[in-house]
Structure formats: C-alpha cells, structure tokens
C-alpha cells in the first residue's frame, strides 16, 4: 500500500490565503454598476425621491392602525389550558 500524502499546515494556510485573495479579486471585478432605475410614487412623496407618473393622481399615505386583539382576557397561552401553577 502506498502511504497517503497529507497537506502540511503551512501549505494549507498558503492555499487558503490564495483562495481568499482570488475570491476577493473576483468580488471587486464583478461589482455591479449603478442601476439607474426609476422609482414611481405610490403615495404623495412615498418612497422618498420617487417620480410621479404623468396622469396619475396621488393621495395621502394611509395611516397604520393598531392590530385588534380578539378575546384579550381569554386564553393567551396558545390554546393550551392547564390547571395549576406554571413555572
């Protein structure tokens, strides 16, 4: 039988550094440029820096409301009713 050849710690470290350098170089090379996209407004001045489409009437943005919780005094533990003290 032939003995298996193993990488030494030094050669494994050097190959890891080389792989990291190649991946970093590829990331810098393949960096995308600016998209130059147009973002249209959904409501008045929302999102910020948006462009209004011609002929579209924009209204005010609706106000978020608090969620209504049904049965607030009832079972708040996920549907499991147990007798006795809970720890």
């Amino acid at each position: 039988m032939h003995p298996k050849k193993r990488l030494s710690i030094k050669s494994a470290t050097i190959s890891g550094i080389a792989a990291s350098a190649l991946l970093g170089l590829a990331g810098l090379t393949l960096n995308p440029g600016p998209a130059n996209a147009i973002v249209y407004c959904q409501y008045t001045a929302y999102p910020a820096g948006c462009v209004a489409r011609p002929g579209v009437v924009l209204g005010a943005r609706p106000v978020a409301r608090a969620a209504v919780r049904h049965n607030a005094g009832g079972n708040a533990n996920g549907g499991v009713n147990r007798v006795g003290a809970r720890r």
Side-chain angles (χ1 to χ4, degrees), residues 14-24:
I14 292 173
S15 62
I17 292 172
S20 298
L22 284 174
L23 286 174

Side-chain angles (χ1 to χ4, degrees), residues 13-82:
T13 303
I14 292 173
S15 62
I17 292 172
S20 298
L22 284 174
L23 286 174
L25 183 63
L28 291 175
T29 304
L30 301 175
N31 191 14
N36 296 330
I38 297 174
V39 178
Y40 291 107
C41 296
Q42 295 175 348
Y43 302 105
T44 305
Y46 176 77
C50 62
V51 177
R53 289 184 183 173
V56 176
V57 177
L58 297 173
R61 186 175 176 194
V63 178
R65 298 180 185 196
V68 177
R69 189 172 163 205
H70 297 286
N71 195 12
N75 186 11
N77 63 353
V80 180
N81 292 319
R82 295 190 179 103

